[in-house]
Amino acid sequence: MVITKDTDLRRFNTFGMDVKAACFIEYGSLEELESIFACPGDYPQPFFHIGGGSNLLFTGDFPGTILHSGIKFIRILGEREPDGGVVVRVGSGVVFDEFCRWCAETGFWGPENLSLIPGEVGASAVQNIGAYGREVGDIILCVECFDTVERCVTRIPVSDCNYAYRDSFFKHEGKGRYIVTAVEFLLTKEYSPLLGYGHVRESAVAAFGTEVVDGGRLTPGMMRDLVISIRGGKLPDPKETGSAGSFFRNPFVSEEEYSYVEKVAERDGLGPVPHFPAGGRVKIPAAWLIDKCGWKGKSEGNAGVWHNQPLVLVNLTGKATPEEIMTLENKIISSVRERFGVELSPEVEHVPDTK
């Protein structure tokens, strides 16, 4: 177990915010995690658990203790008959893209469309990460957690995780109580590429040819390479340009609100509004709204909006402060509200919480 005081958090958040934590602990086993909560008064409060630091914005120095999982393993538990399913158990500290790579190399279908999403396995189960038609909740069987109240290990089946768009039980009732230590996934060896989202099939045909795509000859590795290529063309590499990934959630609006957006688009010559029916509401891509408000590629001081994907805010110079990121965030929210009547909300968690 590694414990440091007055810890620089720049390498623990992909935004690259220059902030510190009063205490930082990386534990390497369940037993070490249990020992922390056996004597919680030995450490500055509050506790806050991070994964790869890829979906959060530190708004200032953290006064308590940051916890980070160093539990790293990938184990095949067995196969399920007759559906060809394979149960795989993964430690919470495994980098999620490394898990995706392992699956592709092993020949297991499941997470390939989630390739290159930054972060770790434990955080993926909390956030319900998603991309190109796949959410991680689709392939989770159960989440193993340490219950900080009862101080015991518990297994939460996927049916109790309340997975929804970028949401889960762990972000609401379970927040602060349950720390993910491992995740069990249900993968498959059966041919099952997901090609129906956006231009994924079109990109697959361009990359591999119609005969391969329609002839059932894609592999998990080929799909992973395709997704990496698509993402790489749109999103910044956090190792080069600090960001927290998609900063805003896609809004779900009423039919009346959507009609207003359509009227604005028609009035201003913005073209058709991309949208997706969603259980009596309508999902509008936040990227489209932000782009049509003129933010794509714009900057405010050291903070900016990525030139290839307006959903992503970036630490443009490497010197952006939390205040600069939040000022840009609020200006974008205000401009979308004023023009389209739609209220954007951040997907990125603010720590300490300022919302």
Side-chain angles (χ1 to χ4, degrees):
M1 187 159 64
V2 178
I3 303 175
T4 59
K5 300 295 180 67
D6 196 28
T7 306
D8 186 338
L9 294 177
R10 276 176 292 189
R11 67 187 183 94
F12 297 108
N13 73 102
T14 58
F15 241 135
M17 294 293 101
D18 184 7
V19 294
K20 294 183 178 182
C23 182
F24 182 93
I25 303 176
E26 180 174 276
Y27 55 90
S29 67
L30 175 60
E31 292 73 23
E32 289 181 351
L33 178 59
E34 289 174 330
S35 72
I36 295 168
F37 284 90
C39 302
D42 291 349
Y43 309 101
Q45 301 294 312
F47 287 119
F48 183 77
H49 201 288
I50 65 170
S54 59
N55 194 57
L56 55 85
L57 170 65
F58 281 106
T59 61
D61 290 341
F62 189 73
T65 300
I66 296 291
L67 300 175
H68 180 252
S69 172
I71 301 175
K72 299 180 181 182
F73 62 83
I74 301 177
R75 298 181 189 137
I76 299 174
L77 297 187
E79 298 187 14
R80 298 202 328 181
E81 299 294 344
D83 59 5
V86 181
V87 180
V88 176
R89 177 179 165 83
V90 187
S92 56
V94 172
V95 173
F96 188 82
D97 190 57
E98 287 299 304
F99 169 59
C100 294
R101 180 187 58 78
W102 179 89
C103 290
E105 292 177 350
T106 310
F108 294 160
W109 292 94
E112 59 281 346
N113 284 34
L114 304 176
S115 293
L116 212 60
I117 294 179
E120 297 170 357
V121 165
S124 77
V126 173
Q127 177 68 8
N128 190 24
I129 60 173
Y132 305 112
R134 170 70 79 202
E135 292 183 339
V136 76
D138 300 336
I139 58 173
I140 286 178
L141 269 180
C142 72
V143 181
E144 180 188 276
C145 302
F146 176 69
D147 183 338
T148 62
V149 174
E150 298 295 333
R151 298 184 184 175
C152 65
V153 178
T154 184
R155 291 167 56 87
I156 301 178
V158 67
S159 57
D160 291 338
C161 291
N162 298 338
Y163 282 128
Y165 172 68
R166 305 296 184 271
D167 205 6
S168 74
F169 160 82
F170 304 104
K171 299 179 77 172
H172 298 284
E173 305 97 313
K175 186 174 182 179
R177 175 170 178 171
Y178 297 99
I179 296 176
V180 178
T181 53
V183 181
E184 289 184 11
F185 296 92
L186 179 60
L187 311 176
T188 183
K189 294 183 289 185
E190 299 295 322
Y191 187 75
S192 52
L194 283 178
L195 298 166
Y197 186 90
H199 59 280
V200 173
R201 186 184 186 282
E202 178 184 338
S203 298
V205 169
F208 307 119
T210 304
E211 290 185 0
V212 172
V213 174
D214 293 340
R217 291 159 49 196
L218 289 171
T219 66
M222 293 165 72
M223 279 299 299
R224 169 173 161 77
D225 290 343
L226 179 69
V227 168
I228 288 174
S229 176
I230 294 172
R231 285 183 64 87
K234 288 184 175 182
L235 303 173
D237 182 345
K239 295 177 183 177
E240 299 177 0
T241 305
S243 84
S246 298
F247 197 93
F248 297 99
R249 294 186 178 93
N250 290 318
F252 290 75
V253 301
S254 66
E255 293 284 354
E256 182 180 359
E257 290 171 317
Y258 172 70
S259 294
Y260 180 77
V261 174
E262 276 196 313
K263 291 177 182 177
V264 173
E266 183 178 359
R267 180 196 70 198
D268 296 346
L270 303 178
V273 180
H275 63 285
F276 308 90
R281 298 183 73 78
V282 182
K283 182 172 77 170
I284 302 175
W288 185 88
L289 296 166
I290 296 167
D291 187 17
K292 297 309 178 184
C293 285
W295 284 105
K296 188 176 181 179
K298 293 293 181 67
S299 62
E300 293 272 333
N302 296 296
V305 179
W306 191 240
H307 59 276
N308 284 336
Q309 173 51 274
L311 200 56
V312 177
L313 305 191
V314 294
N315 183 350
L316 201 58
T317 66
K319 299 178 180 179
T321 64
E323 291 75 19
E324 286 179 300
I325 299 294
M326 289 188 289
T327 295
L328 179 58
E329 169 194 354
N330 291 327
K331 286 185 176 182
I332 291 171
I333 290 173
S334 295
S335 66
V336 170
R337 181 195 306 121
E338 291 168 6
R339 185 169 195 184
F340 295 109
V342 174
E343 190 73 21
L344 293 183
S345 60
E347 178 179 325
V348 169
E349 183 172 6
H350 294 59
V351 183
D353 189 4
T354 59
K355 298 294 180 182

Short mmCIF file of all heavy atoms in Angstrom, two decimals, residues 7-33:
data_model
loop_
_atom_site.label_atom_id
_atom_site.label_comp_id
_atom_site.label_asym_id
_atom_site.label_seq_id
_atom_site.Cartn_x
_atom_site.Cartn_y
_atom_site.Cartn_z
N THR A 7 -0.16 15.45 -1.86
CA THR A 7 0.18 14.80 -3.13
C THR A 7 -0.26 15.61 -4.34
O THR A 7 -1.41 16.04 -4.44
CB THR A 7 -0.49 13.41 -3.19
OG1 THR A 7 -0.13 12.67 -2.03
CG2 THR A 7 -0.06 12.66 -4.44
N ASP A 8 0.66 15.80 -5.27
CA ASP A 8 0.37 16.45 -6.55
C ASP A 8 -0.53 15.52 -7.35
O ASP A 8 -0.17 14.36 -7.61
CB ASP A 8 1.67 16.71 -7.30
CG ASP A 8 1.49 17.51 -8.57
OD1 ASP A 8 0.38 17.52 -9.12
OD2 ASP A 8 2.48 18.12 -9.04
N LEU A 9 -1.71 16.01 -7.79
CA LEU A 9 -2.68 15.17 -8.48
C LEU A 9 -2.65 15.32 -10.00
O LEU A 9 -3.51 14.76 -10.69
CB LEU A 9 -4.10 15.48 -7.97
CG LEU A 9 -4.39 15.13 -6.52
CD1 LEU A 9 -5.80 15.58 -6.14
CD2 LEU A 9 -4.23 13.63 -6.28
N ARG A 10 -1.67 16.03 -10.54
CA ARG A 10 -1.67 16.26 -11.99
C ARG A 10 -1.63 14.96 -12.78
O ARG A 10 -2.30 14.85 -13.83
CB ARG A 10 -0.51 17.17 -12.38
CG ARG A 10 -0.80 18.64 -12.21
CD ARG A 10 0.39 19.51 -12.52
NE ARG A 10 1.45 19.34 -11.52
CZ ARG A 10 2.53 20.09 -11.45
NH1 ARG A 10 2.71 21.05 -12.33
NH2 ARG A 10 3.44 19.89 -10.51
N ARG A 11 -0.89 13.97 -12.31
CA ARG A 11 -0.82 12.73 -13.07
C ARG A 11 -1.97 11.78 -12.75
O ARG A 11 -2.06 10.69 -13.33
CB ARG A 11 0.53 12.03 -12.85
CG ARG A 11 0.78 11.49 -11.46
CD ARG A 11 2.21 10.99 -11.34
NE ARG A 11 2.49 10.40 -10.04
CZ ARG A 11 2.40 9.11 -9.78
NH1 ARG A 11 2.03 8.27 -10.72
NH2 ARG A 11 2.69 8.65 -8.57
N PHE A 12 -2.84 12.20 -11.84
CA PHE A 12 -4.00 11.38 -11.49
C PHE A 12 -5.31 11.95 -12.02
O PHE A 12 -6.38 11.51 -11.64
CB PHE A 12 -4.09 11.19 -9.97
CG PHE A 12 -2.91 10.46 -9.39
CD1 PHE A 12 -1.97 11.14 -8.63
CD2 PHE A 12 -2.72 9.12 -9.63
CE1 PHE A 12 -0.87 10.48 -8.09
CE2 PHE A 12 -1.63 8.45 -9.11
CZ PHE A 12 -0.69 9.13 -8.34
N ASN A 13 -5.23 12.97 -12.89
CA ASN A 13 -6.44 13.46 -13.56
C ASN A 13 -6.08 13.85 -14.99
O ASN A 13 -5.12 14.57 -15.22
CB ASN A 13 -7.08 14.61 -12.78
CG ASN A 13 -6.32 15.92 -12.86
OD1 ASN A 13 -6.69 16.83 -13.61
ND2 ASN A 13 -5.25 16.04 -12.08
N THR A 14 -6.83 13.31 -15.93
CA THR A 14 -6.48 13.49 -17.34
C THR A 14 -6.65 14.93 -17.81
O THR A 14 -6.15 15.28 -18.88
CB THR A 14 -7.31 12.56 -18.23
OG1 THR A 14 -8.71 12.81 -18.03
CG2 THR A 14 -7.01 11.09 -17.91
N PHE A 15 -7.33 15.76 -17.05
CA PHE A 15 -7.44 17.18 -17.36
C PHE A 15 -6.12 17.91 -17.07
O PHE A 15 -5.87 19.01 -17.55
CB PHE A 15 -8.56 17.84 -16.55
CG PHE A 15 -9.65 18.44 -17.39
CD1 PHE A 15 -10.97 18.24 -17.06
CD2 PHE A 15 -9.36 19.20 -18.51
CE1 PHE A 15 -11.99 18.78 -17.83
CE2 PHE A 15 -10.36 19.76 -19.28
CZ PHE A 15 -11.68 19.54 -18.94
N GLY A 16 -5.30 17.29 -16.23
CA GLY A 16 -4.01 17.89 -15.88
C GLY A 16 -4.14 19.10 -15.00
O GLY A 16 -3.29 20.01 -15.04
N MET A 17 -5.15 19.14 -14.12
CA MET A 17 -5.30 20.27 -13.20
C MET A 17 -4.18 20.25 -12.15
O MET A 17 -3.86 19.20 -11.58
CB MET A 17 -6.66 20.22 -12.51
CG MET A 17 -7.85 20.43 -13.44
SD MET A 17 -7.95 22.09 -14.15
CE MET A 17 -7.29 21.79 -15.80
N ASP A 18 -3.62 21.39 -11.91
CA ASP A 18 -2.52 21.53 -10.95
C ASP A 18 -3.10 21.71 -9.55
O ASP A 18 -3.21 22.83 -9.04
CB ASP A 18 -1.64 22.72 -11.35
CG ASP A 18 -0.41 22.86 -10.46
OD1 ASP A 18 -0.17 21.96 -9.63
OD2 ASP A 18 0.31 23.88 -10.60
N VAL A 19 -3.47 20.58 -8.94
CA VAL A 19 -4.08 20.60 -7.61
C VAL A 19 -3.42 19.51 -6.76
O VAL A 19 -2.73 18.63 -7.27
CB VAL A 19 -5.61 20.36 -7.68
CG1 VAL A 19 -6.29 21.51 -8.38
CG2 VAL A 19 -5.92 19.04 -8.39
N LYS A 20 -3.66 19.57 -5.45
CA LYS A 20 -3.08 18.61 -4.52
C LYS A 20 -4.16 17.98 -3.65
O LYS A 20 -5.25 18.53 -3.50
CB LYS A 20 -2.04 19.30 -3.64
CG LYS A 20 -0.81 19.79 -4.38
CD LYS A 20 0.19 20.40 -3.43
CE LYS A 20 1.45 20.85 -4.17
NZ LYS A 20 2.46 21.41 -3.25
N ALA A 21 -3.81 16.82 -3.09
CA ALA A 21 -4.67 16.16 -2.10
C ALA A 21 -3.91 16.09 -0.79
O ALA A 21 -2.70 15.88 -0.77
CB ALA A 21 -5.04 14.75 -2.55
N ALA A 22 -4.63 16.27 0.30
CA ALA A 22 -4.00 16.18 1.61
C ALA A 22 -3.36 14.81 1.81
O ALA A 22 -2.30 14.70 2.43
CB ALA A 22 -5.03 16.46 2.71
N CYS A 23 -4.00 13.77 1.26
CA CYS A 23 -3.48 12.42 1.39
C CYS A 23 -3.89 11.61 0.16
O CYS A 23 -4.98 11.81 -0.38
CB CYS A 23 -4.01 11.75 2.66
SG CYS A 23 -3.37 10.08 2.98
N PHE A 24 -3.00 10.71 -0.28
CA PHE A 24 -3.29 9.84 -1.42
C PHE A 24 -2.89 8.42 -1.04
O PHE A 24 -1.79 8.19 -0.54
CB PHE A 24 -2.52 10.29 -2.65
CG PHE A 24 -2.80 9.46 -3.88
CD1 PHE A 24 -3.78 9.85 -4.78
CD2 PHE A 24 -2.08 8.30 -4.13
CE1 PHE A 24 -4.04 9.08 -5.91
CE2 PHE A 24 -2.33 7.53 -5.25
CZ PHE A 24 -3.32 7.93 -6.15
N ILE A 25 -3.82 7.47 -1.25
CA ILE A 25 -3.54 6.07 -0.93
C ILE A 25 -3.86 5.20 -2.14
O ILE A 25 -4.97 5.23 -2.67
CB ILE A 25 -4.37 5.56 0.27
CG1 ILE A 25 -4.13 6.42 1.51
CG2 ILE A 25 -4.06 4.10 0.56
CD1 ILE A 25 -4.99 6.03 2.70
N GLU A 26 -2.88 4.40 -2.55
CA GLU A 26 -3.15 3.35 -3.54
C GLU A 26 -3.00 2.01 -2.84
O GLU A 26 -1.94 1.69 -2.30
CB GLU A 26 -2.19 3.43 -4.71
CG GLU A 26 -2.47 2.34 -5.75
CD GLU A 26 -1.64 2.46 -7.00
OE1 GLU A 26 -2.02 3.22 -7.90
OE2 GLU A 26 -0.57 1.78 -7.04
N TYR A 27 -4.08 1.25 -2.82
CA TYR A 27 -4.09 -0.07 -2.19
C TYR A 27 -3.99 -1.14 -3.28
O TYR A 27 -4.47 -0.96 -4.40
CB TYR A 27 -5.36 -0.26 -1.35
CG TYR A 27 -6.64 -0.05 -2.12
CD1 TYR A 27 -7.26 -1.12 -2.77
CD2 TYR A 27 -7.23 1.21 -2.22
CE1 TYR A 27 -8.43 -0.93 -3.50
CE2 TYR A 27 -8.39 1.40 -2.94
CZ TYR A 27 -8.98 0.33 -3.58
OH TYR A 27 -10.13 0.52 -4.31
N GLY A 28 -3.38 -2.26 -2.93
CA GLY A 28 -3.16 -3.30 -3.93
C GLY A 28 -3.98 -4.55 -3.72
O GLY A 28 -3.89 -5.50 -4.49
N SER A 29 -4.81 -4.55 -2.67
CA SER A 29 -5.62 -5.74 -2.38
C SER A 29 -6.85 -5.35 -1.58
O SER A 29 -6.91 -4.25 -1.00
CB SER A 29 -4.80 -6.77 -1.59
OG SER A 29 -4.50 -6.26 -0.30
N LEU A 30 -7.79 -6.26 -1.52
CA LEU A 30 -8.98 -6.05 -0.70
C LEU A 30 -8.60 -5.91 0.77
O LEU A 30 -9.17 -5.08 1.48
CB LEU A 30 -9.96 -7.21 -0.90
CG LEU A 30 -11.21 -7.20 -0.03
CD1 LEU A 30 -12.05 -5.94 -0.29
CD2 LEU A 30 -12.03 -8.47 -0.29
N GLU A 31 -7.64 -6.68 1.20
CA GLU A 31 -7.22 -6.64 2.60
C GLU A 31 -6.66 -5.26 2.97
O GLU A 31 -6.93 -4.73 4.06
CB GLU A 31 -6.18 -7.72 2.88
CG GLU A 31 -6.70 -9.14 2.81
CD GLU A 31 -7.00 -9.62 1.40
OE1 GLU A 31 -6.41 -9.05 0.44
OE2 GLU A 31 -7.82 -10.54 1.26
N GLU A 32 -5.90 -4.67 2.06
CA GLU A 32 -5.37 -3.33 2.31
C GLU A 32 -6.49 -2.30 2.36
O GLU A 32 -6.46 -1.38 3.19
CB GLU A 32 -4.34 -2.97 1.24
CG GLU A 32 -3.05 -3.74 1.35
CD GLU A 32 -2.02 -3.36 0.31
OE1 GLU A 32 -2.37 -2.61 -0.63
OE2 GLU A 32 -0.87 -3.81 0.43
N LEU A 33 -7.47 -2.45 1.48
CA LEU A 33 -8.61 -1.53 1.51
C LEU A 33 -9.38 -1.66 2.83
O LEU A 33 -9.76 -0.66 3.44
CB LEU A 33 -9.54 -1.83 0.33
CG LEU A 33 -10.81 -0.99 0.22
CD1 LEU A 33 -10.49 0.50 0.10
CD2 LEU A 33 -11.65 -1.44 -0.99
#
